[in-house]
Amino acid sequence: MKNSKLFLLLILLFSGIICAQKNDTKITVKEKGKAAKTVEKQENLPHFIQFGIMSKNHQAFRNKYKIDVKYENCVISPTVSKMAKENNLAIAKLLTEKYGDSWKKELEIIPYGL
């Protein structure tokens, strides 16, 4: 009993530390024929959740719609799967209400769960 309480306390402690961390990331963007520029990555944008080891660049979509795509590990638990589906459906609903179906062509992927 004592060990289980200690284990739960440690899990809560570490999850709180991880959630409290802020990830200020700066990215250097180099375009052909142009000078390199450093931009701050927008970490707090609403985002579609995708799974797998392959990822695409969605910069144009991110800039236009202010929605990001985050790629997660390819191992999916039932809980994470449900959370991702609910998240992606909510974002898709908002985008469809605001822009119709045009955003789907510009995203170039089918978000997980749609």
Side-chain angles (χ1 to χ4, degrees), residues 23 27 29 43 80 110 113:
N23 189 4
I27 301 171
V29 179
E43 292 289 334
V80 172
I110 299 172

Side-chain angles (χ1 to χ4, degrees), residues 84-107:
K85 285 179 186 177
E86 290 172 357
N87 175 75
N88 291 352
L89 285 170
I91 292 174
K93 181 180 176 185
L94 291 172
L95 286 172
T96 302
E97 288 173 358
K98 191 168 183 178
Y99 301 104
D101 287 335
S102 63
W103 67 269
K104 293 178 183 178
K105 293 176 187 168
E106 294 181 49
L107 183 56

Side-chain angles (χ1 to χ4, degrees), residues 19-97:
C19 292
Q21 293 176 354
K22 185 176 178 187
N23 189 4
D24 293 331
T25 307
K26 294 194 178 196
I27 301 171
T28 302
V29 179
K30 294 180 182 178
E31 295 180 21
K32 194 173 187 178
K34 295 183 180 179
K37 60 182 177 179
T38 301
V39 294
E40 202 164 315
K41 187 174 180 182
Q42 298 171 334
E43 292 289 334
N44 296 324
L45 286 178
H47 58 274
F48 284 113
I49 300 171
Q50 287 293 102
F51 298 100
I53 57 173
M54 300 294 289
S55 64
K56 294 180 74 172
N57 183 350
H58 301 284
Q59 186 67 39
F61 186 84
R62 184 181 309 119
N63 291 340
K64 182 174 182 179
Y65 295 102
K66 303 298 183 229
I67 302 289
D68 202 357
V69 179
K70 292 197 178 180
Y71 287 87
E72 301 287 335
N73 193 342
C74 57
V75 178
I76 310 168
S77 71
T79 305
V80 172
S81 174
K82 182 180 177 187
M83 182 186 71
K85 285 179 186 177
E86 290 172 357
N87 175 75
N88 291 352
L89 285 170
I91 292 174
K93 181 180 176 185
L94 291 172
L95 286 172
T96 302
E97 288 173 358

